[in-house]
Amino acid sequence: MRVVPAALTALTAFLSLDFLSAHRPELDPIGRREGGGTGQKKKKPPPHIIFILIDDQGFNDIGYHNPTIKTPTLDKLAAEGVILENYYVQPICTPSRSQLMTGRYQIHTGLQHSIIRPSQPSCLPSGMDTLPERLREAGYATHLVGKWHLGFYRKACLPTRKGFDTFFGSLTGSVDYYSYGSCDGAALCGYDLHDNESVAWGHEGKYSTMLFTQRARKILESHDPTERPLFLLLSLQAVHTPLQPPKSYIYPYRGMTNVARRKFAAMVSTVDEAVRNVTYALRKYGYYKNSVIIYSTDNGAQPLIGGSNWPLRGRKGTYWEGGVRGVAFVHSPLLKRRRRVSRDLLHITDWFPTLVGLGGGNTSQVDSGVFSLSLVVQSRGLDGFDVWATISEGKESPRREILHNINPLHKPVAASMMWDDVETSQPAVKTSKEATNKKLKKKKKKKRKKVLKLKQHKKSTFRLKTVRKPAGKSKEPEPPPKARAQSEHWSRLRHEPKIQSSGSLSSRQKPKTKSKRTTLQNQNLSQSRQTQTKSKPKLKQQLKTKSRQTFVQNHNTSRSRTRPAWSSVWDTSVQAAIRVGDWKLLTGDPGHGDWVPLQILPTLLGHWWHLERSLPAHRNSSHPPKTVWLFNITADPYERRDLAAQRPDVVQQLLARLAYYNRTAVPVYFPPDDPRADPSRHAGAWVPWADEDEEEEKYRGVYKKGKSGKKKKKKKKSCGLCKLKTFFLKLNTGMMSNRI
């Protein structure tokens, strides 16, 4: 009887196997089931990328750094994502945007000098891949809403020719928020709002931040998120000048006494509201769960118009931390480690390879890693790194250094005094012979000019090039009494006893037979030691000792008269800045290095044109300008302790890195203005003006406002009498117009 249950069990097992085999789907030779699909997990679609780029927002202009700025949406998104606290951008608009678009330092695009102004025939180099082009190759729909500021002199420079499917916004750098007028100086003004490649007339009176936000929401509404991934670059004009917030946004900041700061904060609130509306649209139309939201500024703030980088040093247009350390965060449900602060070193060039890799773009062209320790792969020709693992998982950043810039066209006013000159010349001392002669020379020139202006009735007074009496017995007319008295005064001063460093008086110097002008020309700083008389060795030695002491006191960068070892490595008068690990080196003129607390924010001073670049800092002419700074940014993030004198070894290494980068740089492309750009020639709007078949001419040199684009006229010979007549004509006209 036990055989029956065993037989039933075997029959049941056989029937079940037969049933399963009858209903098992057949597999093809490579393991795929009938009906398609693989045996592996279904691959997730590429994420939607929303990049929000803000203009001129400083380190202290966001709620999570400064509670007085009301940005609840930005604070919440940042708190739920990853805040990038060691993130760097460029100090002005065009370089930052070019590096975002190309993933390359500006020394590799020719844009290392300044911004692209509306009248300049310049733009992103042709033939260079851009971020939207790479993403479009990966299947993305690409859209740009807002500010471009990367050139538009020909149609090939427009955003729609650089990888974007659509474009709605402004082409220039600064636009009125309501009228959309943009000016290049006081004379050239035009309308600047475009829809793709056409002028978008009829939007006057609509606030640009709200108008751009509406266009972004319209794009999100019309696009199908399940069909194709989306790349949206929302490049808001805010919070760039002019300060034009709607009145309703100013009221919450009525307690701020500084008017410019009050308006600036109100404009930040308009940005916060714009981001809230965009994120709401992402949730509403089904993008949010598979999206990456990136928020970034393009450069530091300008305290002169209400922005704040406190407690960082410097401001927009400078290479101090306040100009290049940016506000940024990443918010996404795809982040593996959220709600944290990342202090890994990141740069704006990193977004190119990061986003292309995230979107499944072409990253097959790679070289071996630059840093062997981390075994990083860097795309060929790119200066950026794929940092998604750093942002999402908290892994160590592959980036170890940042080249902030090398600008060969920007040199200090007194850049001619280099270390070679310091070594071979006497530093100016008030009691030295060289300093006295130099001052006398300057004063003599000024006095002589005054005499010539006041006494123009004598022809002989215009003979400026005469340095000695002509041969022969021809008698020159006597100078006027006042000029003769001044000449005797300078002659008497020249032969006064010289005061030594000890306070005693030296013996009188015999007057030389040569004229004063010839003597002063021969006594310059570089030849002072050879021109001094050999009859006074003690005086020479004392002056030399005193000069050396003064030099050491005024310059902490060197404790001896020997030339620094780095003088043969790098020309420190060139404006450059580099960050390697914890160390940051600046050379040349980094810009205004001030710390501006909120309490002393000045009122609005001038037009944005003057705020885009740094003014030459005041320097004491008695010693060469300081051109080297070194800081440990990790230990001293506010750049208050210059360590260049204490760590010359680090200075040497970083200068060598600058020299390395400089060998890879392309020539600066900074052409003069083109008069054909005048909006009055194009129905009052800024539009492309150059033909597509025109060849690009290469220009080198510093642009001079108001003089470019005009043919140089030959200088006429100076006519003193003509100048005198012109002077009295202008004087008479001015007196009559003022009714004096």
Side-chain angles (χ1 to χ4, degrees), residues 105 345 371 399-403 578-581 657 661:
Y105 292 141
L345 188 63
F371 305 107
R399 178 173 290 279
R400 297 290 181 272
E401 64 183 32
I402 296 174
L403 176 68
I578 189 172
R579 168 82 179 270
V580 179
R657 291 300 296 166
Y661 278 113

Side-chain angles (χ1 to χ4, degrees), residues 155-169:
K155 287 189 176 180
C157 302
L158 295 176
T160 50
R161 307 292 180 96
K162 294 293 184 181
F164 287 103
D165 296 332
T166 65
F167 165 67
F168 181 78

Side-chain angles (χ1 to χ4, degrees), residues 607-621:
H607 192 259
W608 68 272
W609 163 261
H610 302 288
L611 306 181
E612 292 286 350
R613 52 194 47 76
S614 62
L615 300 175
H618 175 72
R619 290 185 176 87
N620 189 352
S621 59

Side-chain angles (χ1 to χ4, degrees), residues 330-496:
V330 177
H331 178 93
S332 172
L334 306 178
L335 294 171
K336 294 182 179 180
R337 289 186 57 194
R338 293 183 286 174
R339 301 179 183 275
R340 65 186 184 88
V341 176
S342 172
R343 303 191 185 278
D344 290 280
L345 188 63
L346 304 175
H347 188 246
I348 194 170
T349 54
D350 297 331
W351 294 123
F352 186 105
T354 301
L355 298 183
V356 171
L358 189 62
N362 181 16
T363 56
S364 59
Q365 295 182 349
V366 295
D367 285 337
S368 58
V370 174
F371 305 107
S372 58
L373 292 178
S374 55
L375 299 176
V376 179
V377 177
Q378 185 182 25
S379 298
R380 181 175 301 159
L382 297 181
D383 297 306
F385 294 88
D386 188 343
V387 293
W388 180 248
T390 302
I391 296 173
S392 176
E393 304 173 26
K395 293 183 178 179
E396 184 180 1
S397 173
R399 178 173 290 279
R400 297 290 181 272
E401 64 183 32
I402 296 174
L403 176 68
H404 293 298
N405 195 22
I406 298 174
N407 186 358
L409 298 187
H410 187 109
K411 288 194 175 185
V413 178
S416 58
M417 175 67 81
M418 298 302 297
W419 280 104
D420 291 335
D421 300 324
V422 174
E423 184 182 8
T424 59
S425 64
Q426 295 274 359
V429 184
K430 291 184 179 180
T431 59
S432 66
K433 182 178 180 180
E434 293 82 1
T436 305
N437 287 336
K438 191 173 182 180
K439 290 181 180 179
L440 287 177
K441 184 178 179 180
K442 290 183 179 179
K443 291 182 179 179
K444 184 179 178 182
K445 285 184 179 180
K446 292 181 181 179
K447 290 291 183 180
R448 191 165 192 170
K449 287 181 181 178
K450 288 183 180 180
V451 171
L452 293 179
K453 287 181 180 179
L454 293 174
K455 303 292 182 179
Q456 298 285 354
H457 62 279
K458 295 289 184 180
K459 272 193 174 181
S460 60
T461 57
F462 293 102
R463 300 176 64 182
L464 299 177
K465 295 184 178 180
T466 303
V467 296
R468 62 174 66 186
K469 292 184 179 180
K473 295 183 179 181
S474 59
K475 190 175 182 180
E476 292 187 13
E478 294 184 0
K482 187 173 182 179
R484 185 169 61 252
Q486 291 175 343
S487 178
E488 293 174 357
H489 171 70
W490 292 118
S491 178
R492 185 167 59 255
L493 284 178
R494 185 178 172 218
H495 300 297
E496 286 289 330

Side-chain angles (χ1 to χ4, degrees), residues 92 114-120 174 183-186 240-241 302 305 316 606-615 670 673 703-706 708:
I92 49 180
S114 185
I115 60 172
I116 296 178
R117 297 179 49 257
S119 300
Q120 283 183 296
S174 178
C183 294
D184 187 9
H240 196 288
T241 53
Q302 177 54 268
I305 52 104
K316 174 183 178 179
H607 192 259
W608 68 272
W609 163 261
H610 302 288
L611 306 181
E612 292 286 350
R613 52 194 47 76
S614 62
L615 300 175
F670 194 71
D673 285 358
Y703 169 79
K704 293 183 179 180
K705 188 177 179 182
S708 57

Side-chain angles (χ1 to χ4, degrees), residues 69-104:
I69 303 296
K70 297 174 175 57
T71 55
T73 302
L74 299 178
D75 296 345
K76 182 179 180 181
L77 292 175
E80 295 175 353
V82 178
I83 300 176
L84 309 179
E85 284 293 87
N86 203 11
Y87 170 73
Y88 286 86
V89 291
Q90 297 306 113
I92 49 180
C93 303
T94 297
S96 284
R97 295 166 191 273
S98 69
Q99 297 192 34
L100 170 64
M101 288 290 102
T102 65
R104 294 166 172 86

Side-chain angles (χ1 to χ4, degrees), residues 202-358:
H203 292 279
E204 295 87 345
K206 300 176 183 178
Y207 193 63
S208 69
T209 304
M210 299 177 181
L211 182 64
F212 294 156
T213 306
Q214 291 173 4
R215 175 56 65 97
R217 293 190 62 179
K218 185 177 180 181
I219 292 173
L220 294 174
E221 182 181 1
S222 60
H223 182 79
D224 185 0
T226 61
E227 181 181 350
R228 191 179 180 189
L230 175 74
F231 171 60
L232 172 62
L233 174 57
L234 179 58
S235 177
L236 294 177
Q237 175 191 350
V239 288
H240 196 288
T241 53
L243 300 181
Q244 297 175 319
K247 292 183 179 180
S248 59
Y249 293 86
I250 301 178
Y251 184 78
Y253 300 100
R254 61 191 179 279
M256 291 185 177
T257 56
N258 185 276
V259 177
R261 181 61 175 170
R262 189 187 310 161
K263 292 182 177 181
F264 189 95
M267 292 175 68
V268 175
S269 292
T270 65
V271 171
D272 185 80
E273 183 180 278
V275 174
R276 184 187 66 183
N277 292 333
V278 170
T279 52
Y280 175 79
L282 290 174
R283 296 175 186 272
K284 180 178 180 181
Y285 300 117
Y287 295 87
Y288 178 76
K289 291 183 179 181
N290 189 34
S291 67
V292 176
I293 303 172
I294 302 168
Y295 182 93
S296 169
T297 184
D298 68 340
N299 48 249
Q302 177 54 268
L304 295 178
I305 52 104
S308 175
N309 303 307
W310 181 260
L312 302 180
R313 183 178 186 177
R315 58 197 190 210
K316 174 183 178 179
T318 73
Y319 290 95
W320 306 105
E321 289 292 285
V324 296
R325 188 171 171 185
V327 171
F329 64 82
V330 177
H331 178 93
S332 172
L334 306 178
L335 294 171
K336 294 182 179 180
R337 289 186 57 194
R338 293 183 286 174
R339 301 179 183 275
R340 65 186 184 88
V341 176
S342 172
R343 303 191 185 278
D344 290 280
L345 188 63
L346 304 175
H347 188 246
I348 194 170
T349 54
D350 297 331
W351 294 123
F352 186 105
T354 301
L355 298 183
V356 171
L358 189 62

Side-chain angles (χ1 to χ4, degrees), residues 18-43:
D18 184 64
F19 177 83
L20 291 174
S21 62
H23 293 80
R24 181 185 302 148
E26 295 184 5
L27 301 177
D28 61 13
I30 61 174
R32 289 182 303 188
R33 301 177 186 273
E34 284 185 342
T38 63
Q40 300 176 355
K41 265 188 176 181
K42 187 179 179 181
K43 187 178 179 181

